[in-house]
């Protein structure tokens, strides 16, 4: 029997990206190891430290993870060259309990749910914005839109994320988006899948910006940039940037790292 465990991600503003995680839910399942992690995405209110616990690390089933190894670079990233020497923010990226969140099976299948709580015109505009973000990232990793959520690697919904409770003042704070991932095994191979929630309060260009940002996390950039000119900047800005050279440089460095994902135990 495996375990289902949910953890918050350390606060990127203080560079607390470590593997120290807080277990808040366990559930035995019969299909192998399943672990759910939660990412607290950047928004105007994302300025508090997320608590974590050293004491619970020993309870994690790390012994069941395959040994981390590097995968070959995906062809699009292998061909990527930065002629501007713009650098990256790889130092801000989290190495999780299974290593880096690297995809090794392509194309990465993405499901975008059509909203039903708004009129058809608004729903189509929302879907179009999310699909644009998918297309932008498709320039660097192969992505495929699928019609059935059960076959998707990444699922995207127009749904309000749970409120974030500040550990300092205990005041619930709204989030613009939430990204979480699950670890599971298939034929003894350790795999992962993501769920992205985009707040209904996001409209216009902010839907595109939020989808672009959260997809960056789901594709492996499990951390934030300190520069406003990057799509993975830790907070929303008035004029959301496109995917930057630094974003792609960081993504490529992530895919050069070892991971337990995609390997059999």
């Amino acid at each position: 029997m495996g375990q289902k465990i949910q953890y918050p991600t350390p606060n990127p503003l203080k560079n607390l990206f470590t593997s120290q995680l807080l277990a808040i839910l366990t559930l035995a399942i019969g299909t192998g190891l399943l672990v759910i992690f939660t990412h607290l995405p950047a928004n105007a209110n994302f300025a508090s430290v997320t608590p974590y616990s050293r004491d619970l690390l020993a309870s994690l089933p790390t012994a069941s993870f395959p040994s981390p190894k590097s995968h070959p670079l995906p062809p699009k990233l292998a061909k990527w060259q930065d002629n501007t020497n713009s650098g990256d923010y790889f130092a801000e990226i989290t190495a999780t309990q299974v290593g880096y969140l690297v995809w090794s099976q392509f194309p990465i299948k993405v499901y975008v749910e059509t909203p039903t709580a708004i009129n058809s015109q608004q729903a189509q505009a929302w879907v179009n914005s999310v699909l644009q973000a998918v297309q932008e990232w498709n320039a660097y990793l192969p992505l495929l839109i699928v019609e059935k959520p059960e076959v998707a690697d990444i699922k995207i919904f127009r749904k309000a994320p749970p409120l974030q409770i500040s550990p300092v003042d205990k005041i619930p704070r709204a989030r613009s988006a939430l990204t979480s991932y699950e670890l599971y095994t298939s034929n003894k191979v350790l795999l992962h899948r993501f769920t992205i929630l985009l707040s209904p309060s996001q409209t216009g260009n902010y839907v595109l910006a939020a989808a672009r940002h959260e997809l960056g996390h789901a594709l492996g950039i499990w951390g934030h940039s300190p520069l406003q000119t990057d799509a993975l900047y830790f907070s929303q800005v008035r004029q959301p940037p496109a995917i930057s050279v630094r974003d792609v440089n960081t993504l490529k460095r992530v895919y050069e790292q070892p991971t337990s994902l995609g390997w059999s135990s």
Side-chain angles (χ1 to χ4, degrees):
M1 301 293 284
Q3 289 182 307
K4 181 179 180 181
I5 310 170
Q6 184 169 356
Y7 304 92
T9 301
N11 178 16
L13 298 184
K14 295 186 180 296
N15 196 25
L16 293 178
F17 294 124
T18 69
S19 61
Q20 299 164 330
L21 304 168
L22 174 63
I24 63 176
L25 177 66
T26 61
L27 175 66
I29 62 172
T31 57
L33 176 68
L34 174 63
V35 186
I36 299 178
F37 295 79
T38 300
H39 159 63
L40 302 181
N43 57 34
N45 296 321
F46 192 60
S48 59
V49 176
T50 301
Y52 56 88
S53 171
R54 294 174 181 268
D55 298 334
L56 293 171
L57 289 176
S59 68
L60 299 180
T62 54
S64 63
F65 296 149
S67 299
K69 293 178 287 186
S70 297
H71 291 282
L73 273 175
K76 293 180 180 180
L77 285 182
K79 294 178 180 179
W80 168 259
Q81 296 293 331
D82 172 18
N83 297 321
T84 65
N85 295 318
S86 297
D88 57 58
Y89 47 92
F90 178 75
E92 309 297 326
I93 305 306
T94 304
T96 72
Q97 288 292 99
V98 295
Y100 290 85
L101 299 180
V102 169
W103 295 95
S104 59
Q105 299 181 10
F106 301 101
I108 303 166
K109 297 182 288 294
V110 181
Y111 170 76
V112 181
E113 184 184 56
T114 300
T116 57
I118 52 180
N119 65 50
S120 58
Q121 184 176 359
Q122 292 171 322
Q124 190 58 56
W126 185 88
V127 169
N128 289 345
S129 292
V130 176
L131 291 179
Q132 181 177 334
V134 173
Q135 186 59 37
E136 290 176 5
W137 283 111
N138 185 62
Y140 309 104
L141 288 172
L143 306 179
L144 175 68
I145 297 296
V146 295
E147 300 298 324
K148 298 180 179 180
E150 59 269 21
V151 302
D153 301 308
I154 301 172
K155 293 179 287 188
I156 306 176
F157 303 95
R158 183 182 182 271
K159 182 179 179 180
L163 295 176
Q164 176 186 359
I165 306 299
S166 167
V168 178
D169 53 25
K170 307 301 180 182
I171 299 176
R173 302 179 186 275
R175 309 179 194 176
S176 62
L178 183 72
T179 294
S180 60
Y181 68 88
E182 299 175 348
L183 303 178
Y184 67 100
T185 55
S186 178
N187 296 322
K188 297 185 178 181
V189 176
L190 182 64
L191 301 170
H192 67 322
R193 55 192 171 219
F194 273 86
T195 299
I196 296 174
L197 305 181
L198 301 178
S199 173
S201 65
Q202 300 281 27
T203 59
N205 288 337
Y206 291 105
V207 175
L208 171 59
R212 180 190 294 130
H213 180 107
E214 300 306 321
L215 272 169
H217 290 311
L219 295 178
I221 306 177
W222 200 242
H224 289 104
S225 167
L227 298 187
Q228 294 187 20
T229 51
D230 298 328
L232 274 290
Y233 180 59
F234 64 79
S235 182
Q236 287 186 346
V237 295
R238 187 177 299 274
Q239 298 294 331
I243 298 170
S244 71
V245 171
R246 284 166 41 86
D247 290 321
V248 185
N249 287 345
T250 302
L251 186 67
K252 183 172 182 177
R253 287 201 61 185
V254 167
Y255 276 75
E256 293 171 340
Q257 308 307 313
T259 183
S260 295
L261 294 169
W263 301 108
S264 59
S265 56

